[in-house]
């Protein structure tokens, strides 16, 4: 028998605003929660001491049924830099090794950084309309290198899980920084 959450459900996007409704929950990620992520630790500390900064927000809608656990969210990365490194997500690896994810860029310009545990690295350049498939077992982080908010939709299973520690421990091979007014990928010294 169908349970109450087994019925179809739609949300409505406002593409110009980069939001949707109804939103089940919303969370914010502050720089103080990402002190291991940016290479310029002094720049990060100075911003946090002056009152911290919200780097991105995640608007969330679980499409859970009695037999499935798909979720959808919209991540909005605000423009800006910490030192010369562009605002980005904390980045994670799925805890389950059989879980992919779809990201779809609605607004803005950036990079999706991907890396395996063996050190294979990819940087997917994003503009409005880019859709990327994240295969299982690739760490993933998104960087906003534009002047506007970078907005993307993600679709994944809740049971995938988020492992942040592996990203903090290994880091990504490349950083996205501003050099002479241009966004460039440079090798990380971590
Ligand atoms: C996307 C999805 C979410 C993730 C969010 C922010 O919306 O991948 O699962 O939580 O980005 O990324 P992070 O969890 O790395 O901070
Ligand atoms: Zn993910």
């Amino acid at each position: 028998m169908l349970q109450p959450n087994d019925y179809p459900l739609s949300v409505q996007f406002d593409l110009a605003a980069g939001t949707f409704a109804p939103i089940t929950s919303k969370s914010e990620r502050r720089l103080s929660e990402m002190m291991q992520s940016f290479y310029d630790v002094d720049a990060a500390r100075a911003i946090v001491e002056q009152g911290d900064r919200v780097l991105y927000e995640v608007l969330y809608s679980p499409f859970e049924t009695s037999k499935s656990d798909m979720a959808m969210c919209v991540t909005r990365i605000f423009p800006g830099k910490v030192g010369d490194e562009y605002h980005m997500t904390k980045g994670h690896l799925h805890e389950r090794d059989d879980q992919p994810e779809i990201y779809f860029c609605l607004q803005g310009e950036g990079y999706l950084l991907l890396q395996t545990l063996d050190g294979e690295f990819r940087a997917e350049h994003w503009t409005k309309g880019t859709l990327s498939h994240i295969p299982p077992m690739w760490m993933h982080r998104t960087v906003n290198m534009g002047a506007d908010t970078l907005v993307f939709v993600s679709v994944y299973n809740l049971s995938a899980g988020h492992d942040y520690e592996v990203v903090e421990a290994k880091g990504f091979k490349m950083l996205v920084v501003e050099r002479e007014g241009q966004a460039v990928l440079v090798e990380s010294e971590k």
Side-chain angles (χ1 to χ4, degrees):
M1 212 178 103
L2 290 176
Q3 301 300 310
N5 62 352
D6 287 336
Y7 287 86
L9 179 63
S10 299
V11 297
Q12 185 63 42
F13 271 79
D14 178 338
L15 295 177
T19 58
F20 68 91
I23 294 166
T24 303
S25 65
K26 175 177 158 178
S27 63
E28 289 179 337
R29 181 84 78 186
R30 290 170 189 277
L31 178 57
S32 55
E33 301 163 71
M34 286 179 56
M35 297 308 280
Q36 313 295 319
S37 304
F38 290 91
Y39 87 89
D40 189 341
V41 178
D42 293 337
R45 213 173 280 140
I47 293 166
V48 170
E49 276 166 13
Q50 284 167 24
D52 212 352
R53 183 187 290 175
V54 175
L55 301 182
Y56 58 99
E57 61 184 11
V58 182
L59 319 175
Y60 172 75
S61 175
F63 293 130
E64 279 183 290
T65 72
S66 54
K67 290 194 170 27
S68 64
D69 70 343
M70 184 170 276
M72 187 280 295
C73 35
V74 166
T75 304
R76 300 165 50 83
I77 310 178
F78 303 115
K81 296 185 296 273
V82 175
D84 61 7
E85 190 175 9
Y86 292 94
H87 286 180
M88 60 191 184
T89 59
K90 189 163 187 171
H92 60 271
L93 177 73
H94 293 158
E95 286 167 352
R96 276 179 53 173
D97 64 5
D98 61 349
Q99 289 296 307
E101 185 163 6
I102 295 286
Y103 278 0
F104 182 59
C105 179
L106 287 185
Q107 278 181 26
E109 188 182 5
Y111 273 110
L112 168 63
L113 307 182
L114 301 132
Q115 189 170 302
T116 67
L117 298 179
D118 293 335
E120 281 275 350
F121 176 84
R122 290 287 186 280
E124 300 290 310
H125 182 228
W126 274 12
T127 54
K128 179 178 176 174
T130 312
L131 184 148
S132 299
H133 174 238
I134 301 164
M137 297 306 285
W138 286 75
M139 306 192 300
H140 39 289
R141 161 177 288 160
T142 313
V143 185
N144 180 2
M145 64 191 197
D148 303 319
T149 302
L150 178 75
V151 183
F152 67 97
V153 178
S154 51
V155 180
Y156 62 102
N157 289 310
L158 291 169
S159 59
H162 293 73
D163 181 348
Y164 294 104
E165 284 173 14
V166 67
V167 173
E168 279 184 6
K170 290 188 176 274
F172 282 85
K173 285 184 164 177
M174 307 287 279
L175 314 173
V176 189
V177 298
E178 185 184 65
R179 295 284 154 83
E180 295 168 3
Q182 299 290 317
V184 290
L185 283 156
V186 297
E187 275 185 39
S188 166
E189 285 168 18
K190 192 170 177 181

